[in-house]
Every structure is written in C-alpha cells, then in structure tokens.
Amino acid sequence: MTQIPLPELALVALIGASSSGKSTFASRHFGPYEVLSSDQFRALVSGSEHTLDANEAAFSSLYHVAARRLERGLLTVVDATSVRAEDRRRLVELARAHDVLPVAIVLDLPRSVLDARHEARGDRPFSEAVIGRQQTDLRRGLRGLGREGFRHVWTLRSVDDVDAAQITRVP
Ligand code: GTP
Ligand code: MG
C-alpha cells in the first residue's frame, strides 16, 4: 500500500494521461475547493470542457486561482494531465513563488486500462492514439520529476495501487 504523507503547505500536481483516473482520485482524497481541474476551467471560460482553443484562457485562470489559494497557505491540487515538462514547469514555479512544496502524484496505469476506460466513457473527443502519446510523454519525463523541482514524487502504477493509496496530511 502506498502511504502518501502530504505536507499541508503543498501544491500537488496530479499527473497522468486522460482516463488515468485523476479526477476520480482527486474527488476521493481532496475537498472540492482544493482541486483545480483544467477541464473545469476550460468549461468556466468557454462553456465547454472540450473547447481546445480555450486552453490558454483556462490555464491562466487556473494558475491565477492557484496563486490566490497558495498565498493563503491553502493546499491546492492541480488536476490536469501535466504529462509534458513545459506544463509542469509552471506548477513548480508557482509553488516556489509561494514557498510551498511542489509535490507530484503520478497515475501511470497500463495502456490497456486507459484504452478500456476511454472507450467506456465515450465523452472524450479524441482518439486512443492521443492517450498513447500522453503516456509516452509521461514515461519519458518520469525519472526527471525530482530534477524538475518536485520535492516528493509518488507513482501509482496499477489500479490496485491507486485503490490502496492513502493520503495523510502532515503539518
Ligand atoms: P481526463 O479528465 O480525461 O484527463 O481523465 P481523468 O484522468 O480525470 O480520469 P477520470 O477520473 O475521469 O476517470 C476516467 C474513467 O475511469 C471514468 O469513467 C472513471 O469512472 C474510471 N475510473 C477512474 N478511476 C477508477 C478506479 O480507480 N477504478 C475504476 N474501476 N474505474 C476508475
Ligand atoms: Mg479528469
């Protein structure tokens, strides 16, 4: 079982391909206001979770809200794929700017699980090939997360791992 001792003063990046279960994990382990989801911000700024050209507006809004929370010392979880180093850099910078720990929880599930979930959901307007690319990007960067600045990195690699993960808040 993976025990995740989470410092209260943290910016948590939930990292994983689409359908890896980030939003499900977030709602299970964190309060609704603690979680800032890129899909939700895309919907807020454009009316739909899937508006692709709303990415910039969505992420700048998400970073803005994250910054306001961190300056109050509130634990903040970012639910976005963050599979590319350039996406993660902003999160590390944001954490550092507010003197909180950048922490990564990575959901690196087998491709077969991702594909099966993607097909069962049917609400994602992109192909399985996109998920394959996300997984490739993620795995390429995994070993470098510490070097990127994440102070703690927990990687969950199976459905059972994810199921059994327990988070405890440490002051
Ligand atoms: P995106 O928002 O597209 O990036 O995906 P996500 O990583 O947020 O995945 P999400 O939590 O939406 O889960 C995708 C699908 O997998 C949903 O249909 C969930 O019900 C299912 N799912 C997520 N976590 C679990 C899990 O632990 N067990 C099982 N059986 N299904 C899960
Ligand atoms: Mg999600």
Side-chain angles (χ1 to χ4, degrees):
M1 184 208 300
T2 307
Q3 286 277 5
I4 302 181
L6 203 57
E8 277 289 351
L9 278 179
L11 175 62
V12 182
L14 278 182
I15 300 172
S18 178
S19 286
S20 60
K22 299 177 297 296
S23 303
T24 305
F25 188 90
S27 68
R28 191 167 144 215
H29 294 284
F30 300 100
Y33 298 123
E34 291 180 324
V35 180
L36 306 181
S37 128
S38 54
D39 277 340
Q40 190 187 16
F41 274 86
R42 230 179 270 110
L44 285 170
V45 300
S46 77
S48 157
E49 290 190 2
H50 307 308
T51 314
L52 290 180
D53 69 2
N55 256 346
E56 200 182 310
F59 276 95
S60 61
S61 308
L62 186 155
Y63 297 140
H64 180 82
V65 174
R68 301 291 78 74
R69 288 182 56 83
L70 295 178
E71 64 197 24
R72 288 175 179 270
L74 294 171
L75 182 107
T76 300
V77 179
V78 175
D79 170 9
T81 52
S82 301
V83 291
R84 297 176 312 168
E86 64 205 82
D87 301 331
R88 295 186 293 263
R89 188 162 39 82
R90 273 302 290 273
L91 298 176
V92 171
E93 285 169 3
L94 200 57
R96 285 186 176 153
H98 293 89
D99 267 334
V100 307
L101 290 181
V103 166
I105 300 177
V106 181
L107 305 186
D108 181 18
L109 296 196
R111 180 72 192 277
S112 54
V113 174
L114 302 179
D115 286 351
R117 287 182 182 173
H118 179 73
E119 192 173 334
R121 295 168 92 178
D123 69 335
R124 286 314 197 232
F126 45 78
S127 70
E128 286 171 7
V130 170
I131 296 188
R133 279 200 293 279
Q134 291 174 342
Q135 189 180 52
T136 305
D137 286 344
L138 171 67
R139 290 186 170 168
R140 192 177 291 139
L142 261 185
R143 272 202 298 264
L145 290 181
R147 239 176 300 127
E148 288 179 19
F150 288 97
R151 294 286 295 279
H152 301 286
V153 178
W154 288 282
T155 306
L156 306 171
R157 296 186 194 279
S158 70
V159 175
D160 287 348
D161 253 11
V162 174
D163 245 9
Q166 288 192 347
I167 294 182
T168 47
R169 307 279 183 110
V170 295

